[in-house]
Amino acid sequence: MQQSGAAGCRGCALFSLLGVLFFQGIYIVLSLEINADANVRGYVGEKIKLKCTFKSTSDVTNKLTIDWTYRPSSSSRTESIFHYQSFEYPTTAGTFRDRISWVGNVYKGDASISIRNPTIKDNGTFSCAVKNPPDVHHNIPLTELTVTERGYGTMLSSVALLSILVFVPSAVVVVLLLVRMGRKAAGLKKRSKSGYKKSSIEVSDDTDQEAEDECMTRLCVRCAECLDSDYEETY
């Protein structure tokens, strides 16, 4: 009887190593799925989030652990940069000293971290491992981080977009104003040649027209000032 019990325990140990639990004649497969972004891009000096999520068949307990590791692009050496078990324990030494922050929530299946003040030297491969006993067997997703300098091209594209949004409407108003002024000048020239004399109603209309033209001129000047102001703030 004892021998059969011992054999049964050995069988339980073996199945546990294989990620299978034998309970009351039923084989239960333990499941823990982890997902992470395969590629993450960021810019020097701007905080970067490394996303990692997990799904477990077991409830989250204080036995749950999360481990993040890092391998530089130029080396095969792997270093631990973050550990979690009830509390977060970011690394206090090495490349990421005082730069790793916990931004996850284990009760929502989130094991994400962030990197402050990233540099090009941080480029490499990150891995996220989660264990939630008895769910301890899982895939280990890898995230390739690429950090680059934010080039002038990105800044210029923003300035160009701002310029288009402000300049185009101003240009349309200016063109309409010039067309109207041209038509008015041509009409006056034609009337002066024919000796035409304006009526009191036409004089009143001309006064209103002049006020409208002055208003449109002020609008054009204001738009130009806005464009100059936005351009200076961008730089």
Side-chain angles (χ1 to χ4, degrees), residues 52-67:
C52 177
T53 59
F54 64 91
K55 294 180 180 180
S56 176
T57 59
S58 302
D59 293 334
V60 172
T61 67
N62 57 4
K63 293 182 179 180
L64 179 142
T65 61
I66 299 171
D67 288 282

Side-chain angles (χ1 to χ4, degrees), residues 1-232:
M1 193 72 173
Q2 293 179 350
Q3 291 180 351
S4 62
C9 290
R10 286 195 298 271
C12 289
L14 176 61
F15 287 127
S16 294
L17 289 174
L18 295 175
V20 179
L21 178 63
F22 181 81
F23 179 72
Q24 294 183 350
I26 301 175
Y27 294 103
I28 303 175
V29 179
L30 304 181
S31 174
L32 181 58
E33 179 184 354
I34 304 176
N35 294 290
D37 295 330
N39 295 282
V40 174
R41 299 184 63 87
Y43 297 103
V44 172
E46 300 181 20
K47 183 181 290 187
I48 297 174
K49 180 179 180 179
L50 299 180
K51 188 176 180 180
C52 177
T53 59
F54 64 91
K55 294 180 180 180
S56 176
T57 59
S58 302
D59 293 334
V60 172
T61 67
N62 57 4
K63 293 182 179 180
L64 179 142
T65 61
I66 299 171
D67 288 282
W68 278 89
T69 59
Y70 164 72
R71 186 179 73 249
S73 300
S74 58
S75 174
S76 59
R77 178 180 55 85
T78 300
E79 63 176 287
S80 175
I81 61 172
F82 181 85
H83 176 74
Y84 177 95
Q85 185 171 8
S86 297
F87 297 96
E88 57 265 25
Y89 300 95
T91 181
T92 56
T95 306
F96 295 95
R97 177 182 178 180
D98 299 328
R99 294 199 294 132
I100 301 296
S101 300
W102 168 248
V103 293
N105 185 332
V106 294
Y107 297 102
K108 295 182 179 181
D110 191 348
S112 304
I113 60 173
S114 66
I115 303 175
R116 296 189 300 273
N117 300 319
T119 68
I120 295 177
K121 294 182 179 179
D122 296 337
N123 289 343
T125 304
F126 295 78
S127 66
C128 173
V130 181
K131 296 184 185 296
N132 185 34
D135 293 356
V136 295
H137 301 281
H138 57 80
N139 60 311
I140 300 180
L142 301 178
T143 298
E144 192 72 24
L145 175 63
T146 303
V147 181
T148 58
E149 292 279 359
R150 184 179 283 280
Y152 288 106
T154 304
M155 297 175 61
L156 290 176
S157 62
S158 300
V159 174
L161 179 59
L162 180 61
S163 300
I164 291 173
L165 293 176
V166 176
F167 178 75
V168 171
S170 302
V172 171
V173 173
V174 170
V175 170
L176 292 176
L177 179 60
L178 292 175
V179 170
R180 177 172 291 184
M181 291 176 65
R183 289 180 177 177
K184 181 179 179 181
L188 290 175
K189 186 176 181 181
K190 183 177 180 180
R191 291 175 182 176
S192 62
K193 287 183 178 180
S194 61
Y196 178 80
K197 187 176 181 180
K198 296 181 181 180
S199 65
S200 59
I201 297 177
E202 289 177 322
V203 170
S204 176
D205 290 341
D206 287 344
T207 302
D208 294 340
Q209 183 65 42
E210 289 175 358
E212 184 178 348
D213 291 343
E214 183 181 355
C215 181
M216 293 187 68
T217 302
R218 291 179 180 177
L219 176 62
C220 292
V221 173
R222 181 56 180 167
C223 290
E225 291 176 352
C226 290
L227 177 60
D228 292 339
S229 175
D230 293 334
Y231 184 82
E232 292 175 358

